[in-house]
Amino acid sequence: MGRYRVRVATGSFAFSGSNNQVRLWLVGLRAEAELGLRLRLSRGQMEDFEVDVSEDLGPLLFVKLRKTHLLLKDAWFCNHITVWVFQESTEEKEIMFPCYRWVQGDGIICLPEATAWMMRNEVQGLFQKHGEEELEERRTLYRWATWKEGLPLSVAAASEKDLPLDVRFHEGKKIDFEGTLAAGMMDIALKRLYTLLNSWKSLEDFDQIFWGSKSALAKRVHQSWKEDDFFGYQFLNGVNPTLLRRSTSLPTRLVIPPELEGLQVQLERKLQEGCLFEADFSLLAGVQANVIQGERQHLAAPLVMLKMEPDGKLLPMAIQLQPPCSGSPDPPLFLPSDPSLTWLLAKAWVRNSDFQLHELQAHLLKTHLVAEVFAVATMRCLPGMHPIFKLLIPHLRYTLEINTRARTKLISDGGIFDQVVNTGGGGHLDVLRRATACLTYRSLCPPYDLADRGLLGIPSALYAHDALRLWDIISRYVQGIVHLYYSEDKVVQSDPELQAWCQEITEIGLCGAQERGFPVSFQSRAELCHFVTMCIFTCTAQHSGINQGQLDWYAWVPNAPCTMRKPPPTTKDVTLEMVMATLPNVHQACLQMTIAWHLGRFQPDMVPLGHHKEEYFAGPGHKAVLNRFQEDLNTLEREIVARNKGLDLPYYYLQPSRIENSITI
Ligand SMILES: CC/C=C\C/C=C\C/C=C\C/C=C\C/C=C\C/C=C\CCC(=O)O
Ligand SMILES: [Fe+2]
């Protein structure tokens, strides 16, 4: 009683095709019919068929798929099924059934049509029921686990092999990821061999391992790392732009000895002028340092005071390496006027502390682990036809696998942190715990975070500028989509799946983060938009801003030493021997360079922000919103490129074409 054209689209990456047979059914409101097609599921191909169906199916609701095999199971990646219904008046009506999943095993997969969510209360509750069944299954596939107490929950998986195929790396990504690591290990072997024959006594000796692939900015770091303005610059626009604050008073931990009265006066003057800034690493105070191959490493918890010059340069004025401690003499203040090696070592200590807070707090916790909570909650709470699922899923690609790998190779017992980082051996977990305990909702939202840190309206604060622009662009995109589906606040309030998702993130995934400003429900469209903007910003722009700099700023090891092998200086007598005995040894330095390159380099299969190919939504409204998003991103791209042309040091981590659509590395 009807004629249909059916298109079956197979994914285009390796192994997407399949030799197995797939059976297809069209499911309408009144009846369903098997199509009896013989599909050739070739990678990257679309196959079209015309079929006649004798029953009256009524309006089409679902397509059902079932893969069967004789001997060999061969998973198939289905992009989507599209059906055109021939109407009486030859006009065709197109109906989309997005899939973008692996079809494995011989279970039935049921794809609701793309606009199902709008009709969930109609068609006899069939969509509703489908959504409930889907969630029931997903809740068994994606379970929460406590990897370590005091950290956000993670996905239950002992290794990446335990993860569902749909969230695993595709073959190309896996080969690239594992291949570059292997190549990096070869590099290390060669460098160690080479340095065996040479001495390791002066800072220039680090040149012996400073070869292989490195960026132009890394070479500039090599050249300029000792300069004070270069040191200051990194707090604004380096690998970790998240710590600096404008001072509102002199920090209480800053004890200025009477002989430095002049410094006190200067600090107070800068404070009054609004040009005084601070970077406080107190979170590291008292953290146990690692023991690497029997040698105790050391940690500091510095405070750096900086002033901003009229030309926008940020210059360090004083460094206190440890907080004062009752019963001990006051910690010394290191100054730019100190002997040059003394000052250099004090700055190196700050850079080492920044490495810890950057990697553990800004990078791992505030992008990777938080994004994982969004990912698991999304899989558990939002059915595939839910608009927020469709909006977020492209921004969650590969995150569960990269994080699972981090838990088994990077921050695990015996992992990279234990091997070469001074917080390793458990201290790193304490830092993560402390950072989790003070993680606020505001700190994940640049308009608030930058205001709280007093960093608005500073022309030389390029991260801040670009982050705000991106926040606005993402926010407009989110609002565009949300307003298509939520006509008023009441629709938000009465969406039980959405409310459960919010609650699951805050109360379960983030372990009771409502105390730190995270919402447990959404009362309005605006609250929903703000939260979803935060999710997308975190998974895209923020991660790119924090991740890419590893390549540039961590390749020249003295600029950001992964460990310190001697205690922080307590006097100003510093020799070159002390500096070299403190900085990482050859092996530690080599491993840092390799991992920084591995994690910071451009990802070959990267999808730029807003340019995913999957089409989960149907209809012109959504297309227009997405086009607008892409145009806004292009405009920002041009602005940043033009700005950077005039800069001595370009800032490109938040250039839209370099921002990945999700956390994949
Ligand atoms: C110099 C960089 C040193 C440490 C990097 C620290 C934190 C990075 C934070 C998040 C990165 C997330 C995931 C990366 C996961 C695994 C790759 C790392 C090492 C793999 C080593 C291996 O597989 O043998
Ligand atoms: Fe990362």
Side-chain angles (χ1 to χ4, degrees), residues 424-500:
H428 63 308
L429 301 175
D430 274 331
V431 176
L432 281 170
R433 272 186 210 107
R434 293 174 180 198
T436 304
C438 62
L439 173 69
T440 63
Y441 184 31
R442 287 178 74 85
S443 78
L444 298 179
C445 309
Y448 296 145
D449 174 55
L450 294 165
D452 292 349
R453 297 196 285 131
L455 294 187
L456 295 177
I458 299 176
S460 57
L462 307 174
Y463 160 81
H465 173 270
D466 298 354
L468 282 178
R469 286 280 281 118
L470 279 157
W471 175 272
D472 283 344
I473 290 171
I474 295 171
S475 161
R476 166 146 43 167
Y477 169 56
V478 169
Q479 207 178 80
I481 300 286
V482 165
H483 285 195
L484 289 176
Y485 293 90
Y486 296 88
S487 55
E488 51 177 341
D489 292 346
K490 259 203 229 112
V491 188
V492 171
Q493 291 160 10
S494 61
D495 179 341
E497 287 153 347
L498 187 67
Q499 301 293 349

Coordinates of all heavy atoms in Angstrom, one line a residue, residues 424-500:
G424 N 53.8 12.9 41.7 CA 53.5 11.5 41.5 C 53.6 10.7 42.8 O 54.0 11.2 43.8
G425 N 53.2 9.4 42.8 CA 53.3 8.6 44.0 C 52.1 8.9 45.0 O 52.2 8.5 46.1
G426 N 51.1 9.5 44.5 CA 49.9 9.7 45.4 C 49.7 11.2 45.7 O 48.5 11.6 45.8
G427 N 50.7 12.0 45.7 CA 50.5 13.4 45.9 C 49.6 14.0 44.8 O 48.8 14.9 45.0
H428 N 49.8 13.5 43.6 CA 49.0 14.0 42.5 C 47.5 13.7 42.7 O 46.6 14.5 42.3 CB 49.4 13.4 41.1 CG 49.3 11.9 41.0 ND1 49.8 11.0 41.9 CD2 48.7 11.1 40.1 CE1 49.6 9.7 41.6 NE2 48.9 9.8 40.4
L429 N 47.2 12.6 43.4 CA 45.8 12.3 43.7 C 45.3 13.3 44.8 O 44.1 13.7 44.7 CB 45.6 10.9 44.1 CG 46.1 9.9 43.1 CD1 46.0 8.4 43.6 CD2 45.2 10.0 41.8
D430 N 46.2 13.6 45.7 CA 45.8 14.6 46.7 C 45.5 16.0 46.1 O 44.5 16.7 46.4 CB 46.9 14.8 47.8 CG 46.7 13.7 48.9 OD1 45.6 13.3 49.1 OD2 47.7 13.3 49.4
V431 N 46.3 16.3 45.1 CA 46.1 17.6 44.4 C 44.8 17.6 43.7 O 44.0 18.5 43.8 CB 47.2 17.9 43.4 CG1 46.9 19.2 42.7 CG2 48.6 18.1 44.2
L432 N 44.5 16.5 43.1 CA 43.2 16.3 42.4 C 42.0 16.4 43.4 O 41.0 17.0 43.1 CB 43.1 15.0 41.6 CG 43.8 14.9 40.3 CD1 43.9 13.5 39.7 CD2 43.1 15.8 39.2
R433 N 42.2 15.8 44.5 CA 41.1 15.8 45.5 C 40.9 17.2 46.0 O 39.8 17.7 46.2 CB 41.5 14.9 46.7 CG 41.1 13.5 46.6 CD 41.4 12.7 47.8 NE 41.6 11.3 47.4 CZ 42.8 10.7 47.4 NH1 43.9 11.3 47.8 NH2 42.9 9.5 46.9
R434 N 42.0 17.9 46.3 CA 41.9 19.3 46.8 C 41.2 20.1 45.8 O 40.4 21.0 46.1 CB 43.3 19.8 47.2 CG 43.9 19.1 48.4 CD 45.3 19.7 48.5 NE 46.0 19.1 49.6 CZ 47.1 19.6 50.2 NH1 47.6 20.7 49.8 NH2 47.7 18.9 51.2
A435 N 41.6 19.9 44.5 CA 41.1 20.8 43.5 C 39.6 20.4 43.3 O 38.8 21.3 43.0 CB 41.8 20.5 42.2
T436 N 39.2 19.2 43.5 CA 37.8 18.8 43.3 C 37.0 19.4 44.4 O 35.9 19.9 44.2 CB 37.6 17.2 43.4 OG1 38.5 16.6 42.4 CG2 36.2 16.8 43.2
A437 N 37.6 19.4 45.6 CA 36.8 20.0 46.8 C 36.6 21.5 46.6 O 35.7 22.0 47.2 CB 37.6 19.7 48.1
C438 N 37.3 22.2 45.8 CA 37.1 23.6 45.6 C 36.6 24.0 44.2 O 36.7 25.1 43.8 CB 38.2 24.5 46.1 SG 39.8 24.2 45.2
L439 N 36.2 23.0 43.4 CA 35.7 23.2 42.1 C 34.3 23.9 42.1 O 33.4 23.3 42.6 CB 35.6 21.9 41.3 CG 35.0 21.9 39.9 CD1 35.9 22.6 39.0 CD2 34.7 20.5 39.4
T440 N 34.2 25.1 41.5 CA 32.9 25.8 41.5 C 32.4 25.8 40.1 O 33.1 25.8 39.1 CB 33.1 27.2 42.0 OG1 33.9 27.9 41.1 CG2 33.6 27.2 43.5
Y441 N 31.1 26.0 40.1 CA 30.4 26.2 38.8 C 30.9 27.5 38.1 O 31.2 27.5 36.9 CB 28.9 26.3 39.0 CG 28.0 26.4 37.8 CD1 28.3 25.8 36.6 CD2 26.7 27.0 37.9 CE1 27.5 25.9 35.5 CE2 25.9 27.1 36.8 CZ 26.3 26.5 35.6 OH 25.4 26.6 34.5
R442 N 31.0 28.5 38.9 CA 31.5 29.8 38.3 C 32.8 29.7 37.6 O 33.0 30.3 36.6 CB 31.6 30.9 39.4 CG 30.3 31.4 40.0 CD 30.5 32.4 41.1 NE 31.0 33.7 40.6 CZ 30.2 34.7 40.1 NH1 28.9 34.5 40.1 NH2 30.7 35.8 39.7
S443 N 33.7 28.9 38.2 CA 35.0 28.8 37.6 C 35.1 28.1 36.3 O 36.1 28.2 35.6 CB 36.0 28.1 38.6 OG 35.8 26.7 38.5
L444 N 34.0 27.5 35.9 CA 33.9 26.8 34.6 C 33.2 27.7 33.5 O 33.1 27.3 32.4 CB 33.1 25.5 34.7 CG 33.7 24.4 35.6 CD1 32.8 23.2 35.6 CD2 35.1 24.0 35.1
C445 N 32.8 28.9 34.0 CA 32.1 29.8 33.1 C 32.9 31.1 32.9 O 32.9 31.9 33.8 CB 30.7 30.2 33.6 SG 29.8 28.7 34.1
P446 N 33.6 31.3 31.8 CA 34.6 32.5 31.7 C 34.0 33.8 32.1 O 34.7 34.6 32.7 CB 35.0 32.4 30.2 CG 34.7 31.1 29.7 CD 33.7 30.5 30.6
P447 N 32.7 34.1 31.7 CA 32.3 35.5 32.1 C 32.4 35.7 33.7 O 32.7 36.8 34.1 CB 30.8 35.5 31.7 CG 30.7 34.5 30.6 CD 31.7 33.4 31.0
Y448 N 32.1 34.7 34.4 CA 32.2 34.8 35.9 C 33.6 34.6 36.3 O 34.1 35.3 37.2 CB 31.3 33.7 36.6 CG 29.9 33.9 36.3 CD1 29.0 32.8 36.2 CD2 29.3 35.2 36.2 CE1 27.7 32.9 35.9 CE2 27.9 35.3 35.9 CZ 27.1 34.2 35.8 OH 25.8 34.4 35.6
D449 N 34.3 33.6 35.8 CA 35.6 33.2 36.2 C 36.6 34.4 36.0 O 37.3 34.8 36.9 CB 36.1 32.0 35.4 CG 37.6 31.7 35.7 OD1 37.9 31.5 36.9 OD2 38.4 31.7 34.8
L450 N 36.5 35.0 34.8 CA 37.4 36.1 34.6 C 37.0 37.4 35.4 O 37.9 38.1 35.8 CB 37.4 36.5 33.1 CG 38.0 35.3 32.2 CD1 37.6 35.5 30.7 CD2 39.5 35.2 32.4
A451 N 35.7 37.6 35.6 CA 35.4 38.7 36.5 C 35.9 38.4 37.9 O 36.4 39.3 38.5 CB 33.8 38.8 36.5
D452 N 35.7 37.2 38.4 CA 36.1 36.9 39.8 C 37.6 37.1 39.9 O 38.1 37.4 41.0 CB 35.8 35.4 40.1 CG 34.3 35.2 40.3 OD1 33.5 36.2 40.3 OD2 33.8 34.1 40.3
R453 N 38.3 36.8 38.8 CA 39.8 37.0 38.9 C 40.3 38.4 38.5 O 41.5 38.6 38.4 CB 40.5 35.9 38.0 CG 40.2 34.5 38.5 CD 41.1 33.4 37.9 NE 40.8 33.1 36.5 CZ 41.7 33.1 35.6 NH1 43.0 33.4 35.8 NH2 41.4 32.7 34.3
G454 N 39.4 39.2 38.2 CA 39.7 40.6 37.9 C 40.5 40.7 36.6 O 41.3 41.6 36.4
L455 N 40.1 39.9 35.6 CA 40.9 39.9 34.4 C 40.1 40.4 33.2 O 40.4 40.2 32.0 CB 41.3 38.4 34.1 CG 42.4 37.8 35.0 CD1 42.9 36.5 34.6 CD2 43.5 38.8 35.2
L456 N 39.0 41.1 33.4 CA 38.2 41.6 32.3 C 38.9 42.9 31.8 O 39.4 43.7 32.6 CB 36.8 41.9 32.8 CG 36.0 40.6 33.1 CD1 34.6 41.0 33.6 CD2 35.9 39.7 31.9
G457 N 38.8 43.2 30.5 CA 39.2 44.5 30.0 C 40.7 44.7 30.0 O 41.1 45.8 30.1
I458 N 41.5 43.6 30.0 CA 42.9 43.8 29.9 C 43.4 43.5 28.5 O 43.3 42.3 28.1 CB 43.7 42.9 30.9 CG1 43.2 43.2 32.3 CG2 45.2 43.0 30.7 CD1 43.8 42.2 33.3
P459 N 43.8 44.5 27.7 CA 44.1 44.2 26.3 C 45.1 43.1 26.1 O 45.0 42.4 25.1 CB 44.7 45.6 25.8 CG 44.2 46.6 26.7 CD 44.0 45.9 28.1
S460 N 46.1 42.9 27.0 CA 47.1 41.9 26.7 C 46.7 40.5 27.2 O 47.4 39.6 27.1 CB 48.4 42.3 27.4 OG 48.2 42.5 28.7
A461 N 45.4 40.4 27.8 CA 44.9 39.1 28.2 C 44.2 38.5 27.1 O 43.0 38.6 26.9 CB 44.0 39.3 29.5
L462 N 45.0 37.7 26.3 CA 44.4 37.2 25.0 C 43.5 36.0 25.2 O 42.5 35.8 24.6 CB 45.5 36.9 24.0 CG 46.5 38.1 23.8 CD1 47.7 37.6 22.9 CD2 45.8 39.3 23.2
Y463 N 44.0 35.1 26.2 CA 43.1 34.0 26.5 C 41.8 34.5 27.0 O 40.7 34.0 26.5 CB 43.8 33.1 27.6 CG 42.7 32.2 28.3 CD1 42.3 31.0 27.7 CD2 42.2 32.6 29.5 CE1 41.3 30.2 28.4 CE2 41.2 31.8 30.2 CZ 40.8 30.7 29.6 OH 39.8 29.9 30.2
A464 N 41.8 35.4 27.9 CA 40.5 36.0 28.4 C 39.7 36.5 27.3 O 38.5 36.3 27.2 CB 40.9 37.0 29.5
H465 N 40.3 37.3 26.4 CA 39.5 37.9 25.4 C 38.8 36.8 24.5 O 37.6 36.8 24.2 CB 40.4 38.8 24.5 CG 39.7 39.3 23.3 ND1 39.8 38.6 22.1 CD2 39.0 40.4 23.1 CE1 39.1 39.3 21.2 NE2 38.6 40.4 21.8
D466 N 39.6 35.9 24.0 CA 39.1 34.9 23.1 C 38.1 33.9 23.8 O 37.2 33.5 23.2 CB 40.3 34.1 22.5 CG 41.3 34.9 21.7 OD1 41.0 36.1 21.5 OD2 42.3 34.4 21.3
A467 N 38.4 33.6 25.1 CA 37.5 32.8 25.8 C 36.1 33.4 25.9 O 35.1 32.8 25.7 CB 38.0 32.4 27.2
L468 N 36.1 34.7 26.2 CA 34.8 35.4 26.3 C 34.0 35.4 24.9 O 32.8 35.2 24.9 CB 35.0 36.8 26.7 CG 35.2 37.0 28.2 CD1 35.5 38.5 28.5 CD2 34.1 36.4 29.1
R469 N 34.8 35.7 23.9 CA 34.2 35.7 22.5 C 33.6 34.3 22.2 O 32.5 34.2 21.8 CB 35.2 36.0 21.5 CG 35.6 37.5 21.4 CD 34.5 38.3 20.7 NE 34.7 38.3 19.3 CZ 33.8 37.8 18.4 NH1 32.6 37.3 18.9 NH2 34.0 37.8 17.1
L470 N 34.3 33.2 22.5 CA 33.8 31.9 22.3 C 32.6 31.5 23.1 O 31.7 30.9 22.7 CB 35.0 30.9 22.5 CG 35.9 30.8 21.3 CD1 37.3 30.3 21.7 CD2 35.3 29.9 20.2
W471 N 32.7 32.0 24.4 CA 31.5 31.7 25.3 C 30.3 32.3 24.7 O 29.2 31.7 24.6 CB 31.8 32.3 26.7 CG 30.6 32.2 27.6 CD1 29.6 33.1 27.7 CD2 30.3 31.1 28.5 NE1 28.7 32.6 28.6 CE2 29.1 31.4 29.1 CE3 31.0 29.9 28.8 CZ2 28.5 30.5 30.1 CZ3 30.4 29.0 29.7 CH2 29.2 29.4 30.3
D472 N 30.4 33.5 24.2 CA 29.2 34.2 23.6 C 28.7 33.4 22.3 O 27.5 33.3 22.1 CB 29.5 35.6 23.2 CG 29.5 36.5 24.4 OD1 29.0 36.1 25.5 OD2 30.1 37.6 24.4
I473 N 29.7 33.0 21.5 CA 29.3 32.3 20.3 C 28.6 31.0 20.6 O 27.6 30.6 20.0 CB 30.6 32.1 19.4 CG1 31.0 33.5 18.8 CG2 30.3 31.2 18.2 CD1 32.4 33.5 18.1
I474 N 29.2 30.3 21.5 CA 28.6 29.0 21.9 C 27.3 29.2 22.5 O 26.3 28.5 22.3 CB 29.6 28.2 22.8 CG1 30.9 27.8 22.0 CG2 28.9 26.9 23.3 CD1 32.0 27.2 22.9
S475 N 27.2 30.2 23.3 CA 26.0 30.5 24.0 C 24.8 30.8 23.0 O 23.7 30.3 23.2 CB 26.2 31.7 25.0 OG 25.0 32.2 25.4
R476 N 25.2 31.6 22.0 CA 24.1 31.9 21.0 C 23.7 30.6 20.3 O 22.5 30.4 20.0 CB 24.7 32.9 20.0 CG 23.8 33.0 18.8 CD 23.7 34.3 18.1 NE 24.9 35.0 18.0 CZ 25.0 36.1 17.2 NH1 24.0 36.5 16.5 NH2 26.2 36.7 17.1
Y477 N 24.6 29.7 20.0 CA 24.3 28.5 19.3 C 23.4 27.6 20.2 O 22.4 27.1 19.7 CB 25.6 27.7 19.0 CG 25.5 26.3 18.6 CD1 24.8 26.0 17.5 CD2 26.2 25.3 19.3 CE1 24.7 24.6 17.0 CE2 26.1 24.0 18.9 CZ 25.4 23.6 17.8 OH 25.3 22.3 17.3
V478 N 23.8 27.5 21.5 CA 23.0 26.7 22.4 C 21.6 27.3 22.5 O 20.5 26.5 22.4 CB 23.6 26.6 23.8 CG1 22.7 26.0 24.8 CG2 24.9 25.8 23.7
Q479 N 21.5 28.6 22.6 CA 20.2 29.2 22.7 C 19.3 28.9 21.5 O 18.1 28.6 21.6 CB 20.4 30.7 22.9 CG 19.3 31.3 23.6 CD 19.6 32.8 23.8 OE1 19.4 33.6 22.9 NE2 20.1 33.2 25.0
G480 N 20.0 29.0 20.3 CA 19.3 28.7 19.1 C 18.6 27.4 19.1 O 17.5 27.2 18.7
I481 N 19.4 26.4 19.5 CA 18.8 25.0 19.5 C 17.8 24.9 20.6 O 16.7 24.3 20.4 CB 20.0 24.0 19.7 CG1 21.0 24.1 18.6 CG2 19.4 22.6 19.8 CD1 20.6 23.5 17.2
V482 N 18.1 25.3 21.8 CA 17.2 25.1 22.9 C 15.9 25.8 22.6 O 14.8 25.2 22.9 CB 17.9 25.7 24.2 CG1 16.8 25.8 25.3 CG2 19.0 24.7 24.7
H483 N 15.9 27.0 22.0 CA 14.6 27.6 21.8 C 13.8 27.0 20.7 O 12.6 27.2 20.7 CB 14.9 29.1 21.5 CG 15.3 29.9 22.7 ND1 15.3 31.3 22.7 CD2 15.7 29.5 23.9 CE1 15.6 31.7 23.9 NE2 15.9 30.6 24.7
L484 N 14.4 26.1 19.9 CA 13.6 25.4 18.9 C 12.8 24.3 19.6 O 11.7 24.0 19.1 CB 14.5 24.7 17.9 CG 15.3 25.5 16.9 CD1 16.2 24.6 16.1 CD2 14.3 26.2 15.9
Y485 N 13.2 23.9 20.7 CA 12.6 22.7 21.4 C 11.8 23.1 22.7 O 11.0 22.4 23.1 CB 13.6 21.6 21.7 CG 14.1 21.0 20.4 CD1 15.2 21.5 19.8 CD2 13.4 19.9 19.8 CE1 15.6 21.0 18.6 CE2 13.8 19.4 18.6 CZ 14.9 19.9 18.0 OH 15.4 19.4 16.8
Y486 N 12.3 24.2 23.3 CA 11.7 24.6 24.6 C 11.1 26.0 24.3 O 11.8 27.0 24.3 CB 12.7 24.7 25.7 CG 13.3 23.3 26.0 CD1 14.4 22.8 25.3 CD2 12.7 22.5 27.0 CE1 14.9 21.6 25.6 CE2 13.2 21.2 27.3 CZ 14.3 20.8 26.6 OH 14.8 19.5 26.8
S487 N 9.7 26.1 24.2 CA 9.1 27.3 23.8 C 9.0 28.2 25.0 O 8.8 29.4 24.9 CB 7.7 27.0 23.2 OG 7.0 26.2 24.2
E488 N 9.0 27.7 26.2 CA 8.9 28.5 27.4 C 9.6 27.8 28.6 O 9.8 26.6 28.5 CB 7.5 28.9 27.7 CG 6.6 27.7 27.7 CD 5.1 28.0 28.1 OE1 4.9 29.1 28.7 OE2 4.3 27.2 27.8
D489 N 9.8 28.5 29.7 CA 10.4 27.9 30.9 C 9.7 26.7 31.4 O 10.3 25.7 31.8 CB 10.5 28.9 32.0 CG 11.4 30.1 31.7 OD1 12.2 29.9 30.7 OD2 11.4 31.1 32.3
K490 N 8.4 26.7 31.3 CA 7.6 25.5 31.8 C 8.0 24.2 31.1 O 8.0 23.2 31.7 CB 6.1 25.8 31.5 CG 5.4 26.3 32.7 CD 3.9 26.0 32.6 CE 3.1 27.2 32.9 NZ 2.4 27.8 31.8
V491 N 8.3 24.3 29.8 CA 8.7 23.1 29.1 C 10.0 22.5 29.7 O 10.2 21.3 29.8 CB 8.8 23.4 27.6 CG1 9.0 22.1 26.8 CG2 7.6 24.1 27.0
V492 N 10.9 23.4 30.1 CA 12.1 23.0 30.7 C 11.8 22.3 32.0 O 12.3 21.2 32.4 CB 13.1 24.2 30.9 CG1 14.3 23.8 31.8 CG2 13.5 24.8 29.6
Q493 N 11.0 23.0 32.8 CA 10.6 22.5 34.2 C 10.0 21.2 34.1 O 10.2 20.3 35.0 CB 9.7 23.5 34.9 CG 10.4 24.8 35.2 CD 9.3 25.9 35.5 OE1 8.1 25.7 35.5 NE2 9.8 27.2 35.6
S494 N 9.2 20.9 33.1 CA 8.5 19.7 33.0 C 9.1 18.6 32.1 O 8.4 17.7 31.6 CB 7.0 19.9 32.6 OG 7.1 20.5 31.3
D495 N 10.4 18.7 31.9 CA 11.1 17.7 31.2 C 11.9 16.8 32.2 O 13.0 17.1 32.6 CB 12.1 18.4 30.2 CG 12.9 17.3 29.4 OD1 13.0 16.2 29.8 OD2 13.5 17.8 28.3
P496 N 11.3 15.7 32.5 CA 11.9 14.9 33.6 C 13.3 14.3 33.2 O 14.1 14.2 34.1 CB 10.9 13.7 33.8 CG 10.1 13.7 32.6 CD 10.1 15.0 32.0
E497 N 13.5 14.0 32.0 CA 14.8 13.5 31.6 C 15.9 14.5 31.8 O 17.0 14.2 32.3 CB 14.8 13.0 30.1 CG 14.0 11.7 30.0 CD 13.4 11.5 28.6 OE1 13.3 12.5 27.8 OE2 12.9 10.4 28.3
L498 N 15.6 15.7 31.3 CA 16.5 16.8 31.5 C 16.9 17.1 32.9 O 18.0 17.3 33.3 CB 15.9 18.1 30.8 CG 16.8 19.3 30.7 CD1 17.9 19.0 29.7 CD2 16.0 20.5 30.2
Q499 N 15.8 17.1 33.8 CA 16.0 17.4 35.2 C 16.9 16.3 35.8 O 17.7 16.5 36.7 CB 14.7 17.6 35.9 CG 13.8 18.7 35.4 CD 14.4 20.1 35.6 OE1 15.4 20.3 36.4 NE2 13.8 21.1 35.0
A500 N 16.6 15.0 35.4 CA 17.4 13.9 36.0 C 18.8 14.0 35.6 O 19.7 13.7 36.3 CB 16.8 12.6 35.5

